[in-house]
Amino acid sequence: MMTAIAVLPSSSTAAVETAPRARRWLAFSAVITASVMDLLDSTVMNVAAPGIRADLGGSYASLQWMAAGYTMALAVLLLVGGRLGDMVGRKQALLIGVGGFTVISFLCGLAVSSEMLIAARVVQGAFAAIMLPQGFGLARDLFDPDERAKAFGFFGPVMGLSAVVGPIIGGTLLDADLLGTGWRAIFLVNIPVGIFTFVVAAKCLPNTRPADGKISLDIPGLLIAGAGLVALVYPLVQGHEIGWPLWSKALLVASVPVLAGFGAYQSRRQRSGATPLIEPRLLRSRSYLSGVLFAVVFFGAMAGTFVLGMFLQVGLGYTPIHASLAMAPWAFGALIGSAVSGMAMQKYGRKLLHIGLALMAIGLTGLYGVLALTGLNVGHWDLVAPNLIGGAGMGMVFVPLFDIILGGVRDKEVGSATGMLGSLEQVGIALGIAVIGTIFMGKVADAEPATRSAAALDGTQTALLATVGGIALAFAVGFLLPKTARTGVEH
């Protein structure tokens, strides 16, 4: 699953020591590697989940929490990740994030229960939220404007290629079972990568001093936002398994006033002269709120790829590497779609979003049709064409999305608007995993072993239809977005 963290630091400017030219690209490799680590850890769960459950036990809902817990922590703390860079310096914040991410990856690899792994994944997501927002600010520190364009141009293809090879690497590690580590290798591999990133960052990145002025973290706002998101996601993930008791429904309903209270608190905080986590005016902008809804629905629909990877293993008995290779056309399609939309973004604007969504819907409907025709006899070659089409559509939406949503945002609000979008992107993924994953897991968990494959097929087809419904909603909301992409925003 490709993700797009486009988080800008706040508008404060930190003092920077210029990095020696010869070391700038080496330093930039640490910035890229930090982002790649997050992307790989987001994608490998698609192929590792069945093996983890076979080893650690736990319910199917626990598999959803291993993914949703990470993205929820990332979503909430992204709101303050950029601000932390302003407080302690971007280099220092990156080192904290990379160091913590590496250590917690080691603990993920040592997990002895599903509960321990879920807890470690939540903390891992928290450190990712500190690590990721520093990257683009550090790139601006490293390069002059001409070199900066080359750096950002290099960043996109690397992330796209990582999305392609990430699941394949994960599947290879799982199948190789190095030293008997099994699924644990997908987390333990972060240790050498994290050490490399930390050492290069410490030696080569320019030192940044904290920004001038008094900057504080909005801890109460962070707690309110976190409580609202947990109240929203927890019942969706756990509800089916525990029989939807009254308190779970009440918790789901309570999430609405809690999140509304967060918005009201941000307005009061701004009026008092304190710095809010988000710019309250953005919550009154129709085009921006439409963009927020679009992002949540779109990234939630992207979570549908999680279900297909599960079906290939749970329903058809594919090995992790076989499942990864069967899903690779989706990622290759996304890479092609990203390249096309990157070149056409300024000319076609939001039309690219509608074209991309239409292709996603065609691809996912094609997958549904293939499964309806072939059933459990489906082969991985049957999945190539619809995966390529659906992936290309996703890539076409992925690249211009943030620039189009920011089309009506004032320059001074870009930092807050982008940070909030990066956070809500993760909320959408968490909700997608919860809703679409629950559709699939509900069918499989209630089935007897003899009928589990058929139940997995039924659950996958239902989940695909739900995903197409989400894409249709995003298509309609897309007409409320600005027609043209914003220019001059580095992301």
Side-chain angles (χ1 to χ4, degrees), residues 347-380:
K347 182 177 181 180
Y348 293 103
R350 78 179 185 195
K351 290 180 181 178
L352 285 174
L353 301 185
H354 285 114
I355 295 171
L357 289 171
L359 288 175
M360 280 187 73
I362 291 171
L364 290 167
T365 303
L367 286 173
Y368 177 90
V370 167
L371 293 178
L373 289 172
T374 61
L376 296 176
N377 295 317
V378 64
H380 66 268

Side-chain angles (χ1 to χ4, degrees), residues 221 224-225 254-268:
I224 296 171
S255 68
V256 177
V258 172
L259 292 173
F262 169 72
Y265 172 76
Q266 292 298 286
S267 296
R268 290 197 303 271

Side-chain angles (χ1 to χ4, degrees), residues 439-452:
I439 292 172
F440 176 82
M441 301 298 184
K443 299 278 188 180
V444 174
D446 295 338
E448 297 295 328
T451 61
R452 185 158 294 158

Side-chain angles (χ1 to χ4, degrees), residues 43-58:
T43 56
V44 294
M45 285 300 297
N46 294 357
V47 295
I52 292 174
R53 184 172 184 267
D55 184 24
L56 298 183

Side-chain angles (χ1 to χ4, degrees), residues 237-257:
V237 174
Q238 211 70 35
H240 179 273
E241 184 168 310
I242 60 179
W244 290 103
L246 181 60
W247 65 263
S248 68
K249 299 175 184 177
L251 195 63
L252 190 61
V253 172
S255 68
V256 177

Side-chain angles (χ1 to χ4, degrees), residues 14 269 323 472:
R269 185 174 173 86

